[in-house]
Structures are given as C-alpha cells and as structure tokens.
Amino acid sequence: MSHKRIPKRKAAIAVGGVVALGAAAILLPSANASQDGAPDDVAAAPRTLKAGDASDLATRLAGTLGDAYAGAWYDGEEKRLVVNVVRGEGDMALKVRSAGAEVREVDNSMAELEAGAGTLKSEATIPGTSWAVDPRTNKILVTADSTVTGDKWDQLESTVESLGSGMATLKKSEGTFRTFVSGGDAIFAGGARCSLGFNVTAGDGSPAFLTAGHCAAAGDAWSDQQGGEPIATVDQALFPGDGDFALVRYDDPATEAPSEVNVGGQTVPIVQAAEATVGQQVFRMGSTTGLADGQVLGLDATVNYPEGTVTGLIQTNVCAEPGDSGGSLFTQDGLAIGLTSGGSGDCTVGGETFFQPVTTALEAVGATLGDGDGDGGAAAGDGGAGAGDQAGAEEQAGGQEAGAGAGDQAGGQDAGAEQDGAGGHEGVQEQSDMGSSRHSGLTPTH
C-alpha cells in the first residue's frame, strides 16, 4: 500500500468501556520548570528543563545556529539539553550557552551526517536494515537484523566503511525487523489485530483515531471485538514510504473519544502532540504487552521492512511485540509522541523499536489532538486524543500468539471483558497503585 490514500472507507477501531479520569495524577509528578527568570547574559550554567521544553529549545537553536548545528539530545539525569556545535564555531557555542543549553563541540556536521544517510539509502537499502543519526555519538547508527548475512552483510559493511572513519557505527540485532501487526486497546480487521494509538479530531470535526498505516492493509472496517461489528472506517493511510500512519473515523459521529491513554485500569490525560528528543524517557502502551518504557535513541530513522522502506521514524529501545502496532508512545506529562510501527526482538529479550511521529501524522491527515496548546493543533474537545475509552478491550490480549504477519494475530478475544489479562495489565494497575517507578508514577510492565 505505497503512498495509498483510502478515501471515506471504514476501519473501525476498538472501543471498550470508558475509564474514569480519577487516576490522571499518576503522570503529573513535580517537574522542574525552565529557569526563565535569569537574564540571557547571565546563563553561566545550563538550565534545568523538562523534556518538552528541551525539545522546543533544540528546535529554536537549530534555526539560529544554521550549519553550525549538529543535533541535540536530552540528558534525563541532569535534565539538561546538550547541543552539538561543529568544532571551531565559538560564536555559535556562546549562543547555545546564553540560551541555557550545554555545548558539545563535534566533528561531523548535520549536512555530512545527512549525506551519509543518503549514501546508505542509495547503496544499502536492504530489508532488515535501519539507520538514524545519533547525536550522542555524532554518528549514524546503522543496524542490521539477523536476516542480513552473506553478500548483504558485505554490501552493508562496505557501504558503512565508505562513509569514512568516525561517520557511522554498525551493529547487529539478534531479532528480525517486522511490523508489529497483531496494539493501548485492541482493534480488529480481516483477521488482524492492532492497537489504537490516540483519539483525534478529524478536519471536519468528527471523532477519529490514529493507528499504524500498515494495519490498514488488513481491511477498511475495524472493530473493538474479534469478529464484532465495525465501529470505525479507514479514511487515510500511508505505508510504506514517508511514514506509517492511518486516520480511522468512528462510524458514529456521537462517539465519545477522550484525550487520554488507558494504562491498565487508569488513564493518562493527553494534552498535546510533541516532537521527540533523543535521550527523552517515553512510555509505550499496546494491547499485547501492556505498558513499557525506555528512551528515544534516534530521529528521522529509516527502516527497511520486508514490505518496503519507511522513513522519518523515531528509534527507541522500548520493547514491543505483534499486536502492539499503532499503539501510543507518550510521556509522563501527557505528550503524544508516536505510534508503534515495528522493530526487532520482544519484551523478553528487548530490541529496537520504531515509531511514527504523531506530529507528522496529524499534519498529513489534517487532524488535531489534545488541548491544542502545542504542536498538536486546535482544541479537540470530546474528540480529543488518547486511547483511554477502550478499557474493556484490555483482556483481548489473552490467548494471542505473537506472529509477524497481518493475518495471524486474531486468537480468541472478548472485547467486553474487564482488564484482568492483557499482557500483564493487572500488574500495571497494582504497581501504579503502589507509587512510582524509577522515573515517574507510571510503572511499566516490562
């Protein structure tokens, strides 16, 4: 389904029972606010920043620094933004410090790194490979899965070497890159299972949701129960190509689609969409494996799936498995970051996982999410973002085997069931009630 737009079709997505908002506070720990009171010329030390504020500052500095900018990343321990400046650009480094970020001088410019990625695209687009710029190492991180062997490995290795010393690193993954078709809450079509990502408001004001574009290949009409009546229809979808996302409209225009994510009996309010930042801690919710967390490793990643190449993705170390496709990637303070696309490994051994940026998907389909205070667009009202009204679908993960294709993930589900069995969701509830995880009030299952 390359660059395919599916007009006015139906791809119903799961909606179970509505979850109350009483537990919303679990994602709102006391965050350190930006120290905006100090004059610009007194910024002797980097400011303490929330991840969302760091992302905004990185965007502004990228425009200010021009060719001297070589990427940025978020130090979650120190809560600082680290900005790479090409060596020898002293004046630009001063601007970074004045803005409140930490400066690191590096050798590779963004133009050089992007040119290297272009060489990989033209000479090493091999199924089972991926690459993304890693600002923490100032190199391109190239990954090959277990299927890349023999002549294919030799081709990839020689291409990486041709980029020159210090431009890229090559690593081998034990798993196999695949889309995770089989998702918060489960949704079903054509024998396939995926996950609902975020509820949104379509351009005409009607309620809809976002999920993975490759899920739309399974069918246009989606249900919240295995074999159930359709509740939503695919309106637009893209995969492979410049993204992996789909807009699915609820068939009933009166559908309540709150801006929240169901994390296993509790809900997290989603306030807006935001850009990811390398180093940022993120949480993923999917109907197969529940709640998991990790870090953003790279941006603008290219992944060569068996079905084709997808560009512009977010690379993370958050685990996922078949059935989690389309599920939500978000932050502890309610920012919508991504939609689960695919990767390698599972939630036992770990692996690499890739996500479609929500901001890009919203812009492409003309939808809005959350309260509209940031990149997400205008206020969504009752048709806002989130996966929080599908609590009843959580048990649907029970009895499903993890398969790689779009048609083998349909094992016996009951959308009307309560949340006591979906990939350890009950454990999420219990742990969340106990307090906080290492980073926040959310406690990941894996």
Side-chain angles (χ1 to χ4, degrees):
M1 193 168 91
S2 179
H3 295 76
K4 183 176 180 181
R5 191 177 182 88
I6 308 178
K8 307 292 182 186
R9 301 205 202 155
K10 306 199 166 184
I13 319 296
V15 179
V18 175
V19 179
L21 295 175
I26 63 174
L27 282 191
L28 297 175
S30 56
N32 291 314
S34 302
Q35 300 170 346
D36 293 325
D40 290 343
D41 58 353
V42 186
R47 289 188 296 166
T48 298
L49 298 167
K50 295 183 294 182
D53 294 334
S55 177
D56 292 341
L57 178 56
T59 299
R60 293 197 300 270
L61 286 172
T64 299
L65 301 181
D67 293 341
Y69 178 80
W73 57 280
Y74 183 65
D75 183 339
E77 295 295 328
E78 300 293 334
K79 293 184 170 55
R80 295 175 177 175
L81 176 68
V82 182
V83 177
N84 294 337
V85 175
V86 176
R87 200 175 304 279
E89 296 284 353
D91 291 344
M92 296 301 179
L94 180 60
K95 289 184 178 181
V96 172
R97 294 189 182 96
S98 297
E102 182 176 331
V103 176
R104 190 180 64 157
E105 292 190 338
V106 297
D107 295 320
N108 299 322
S109 69
M110 283 302 296
E112 291 170 330
L113 294 170
E114 290 170 356
T119 298
L120 288 164
K121 179 179 180 180
S122 62
E123 299 182 15
T125 298
I126 301 167
T129 62
S130 70
W131 51 82
V133 172
D134 180 4
R136 287 176 291 191
T137 63
N138 190 229
K139 297 180 181 180
I140 304 168
L141 175 60
V142 183
T143 307
D145 72 13
S146 59
T147 67
V148 182
T149 59
D151 291 343
K152 292 180 180 179
W153 173 261
D154 292 341
Q155 178 184 351
L156 180 63
E157 189 174 40
S158 64
T159 303
V160 169
E161 291 175 351
S162 74
L163 300 179
S165 175
M167 281 295 295
T169 57
L170 176 59
K171 61 175 287 190
K172 189 80 169 179
S173 173
E174 295 182 359
T176 302
F177 289 158
R178 66 199 190 280
T179 52
F180 289 131
V181 178
S182 164
D185 294 331
I187 53 177
F188 306 88
R193 167 182 172 163
C194 281
S195 295
L196 188 150
F198 298 98
N199 284 320
V200 299
T201 300
D204 63 358
S206 62
F209 64 83
L210 295 176
T211 190
H214 67 263
C215 292
D220 295 335
W222 287 80
S223 172
D224 58 354
Q225 303 180 46
Q226 176 64 39
E229 289 296 317
I231 63 166
T233 300
V234 173
D235 182 77
Q236 303 176 47
L238 177 63
F239 175 84
D242 297 331
D244 183 4
F245 56 85
L247 176 70
V248 186
R249 293 177 183 264
Y250 289 106
D251 295 339
D252 183 354
T255 297
E256 293 186 7
S259 184
E260 60 197 38
V261 172
N262 174 13
V263 294
Q266 303 184 57
T267 57
V268 175
I270 299 298
V271 296
Q272 66 186 57
E275 301 288 349
T277 303
V278 171
Q280 179 180 28
Q281 188 205 17
V282 286
F283 290 85
R284 177 199 53 74
M285 190 65 192
S287 66
T288 297
T289 57
L291 187 67
D293 75 332
Q295 284 192 346
V296 175
L297 301 181
L299 305 177
D300 197 21
T302 295
V303 186
N304 296 300
Y305 293 124
E307 299 92 339
T309 299
V310 181
T311 61
L313 301 183
I314 301 166
Q315 183 171 355
T316 79
N317 60 5
V318 185
C319 73
E321 296 182 10
D324 290 332
S325 278
S328 47
L329 185 74
F330 58 100
T331 67
Q332 63 179 357
D333 50 355
L335 300 179
I337 300 296
L339 308 167
T340 307
S341 175
S344 67
D346 55 37
C347 286
T348 298
V349 302
E352 295 81 22
T353 308
F354 301 93
F355 295 83
Q356 164 67 46
V358 170
T359 53
T360 304
L362 289 172
E363 182 178 4
V365 302
T368 55
L369 176 156
D371 62 12
D373 239 0
D375 296 331
D382 291 340
D389 61 341
Q390 293 86 12
E394 295 296 333
E395 192 175 16
Q396 295 166 343
Q400 269 205 337
E401 298 181 357
D408 59 358
Q409 293 93 3
Q413 332 260 326
D414 180 4
E418 295 181 347
Q419 297 167 312
D420 59 0
H425 289 298
E426 185 177 16
V428 175
Q429 171 72 61
E430 293 173 352
Q431 295 172 48
S432 294
D433 288 344
M434 290 172 61
S436 65
S437 71
R438 183 184 62 198
H439 301 289
S440 73
L442 276 183
T443 303
T445 310
H446 304 284

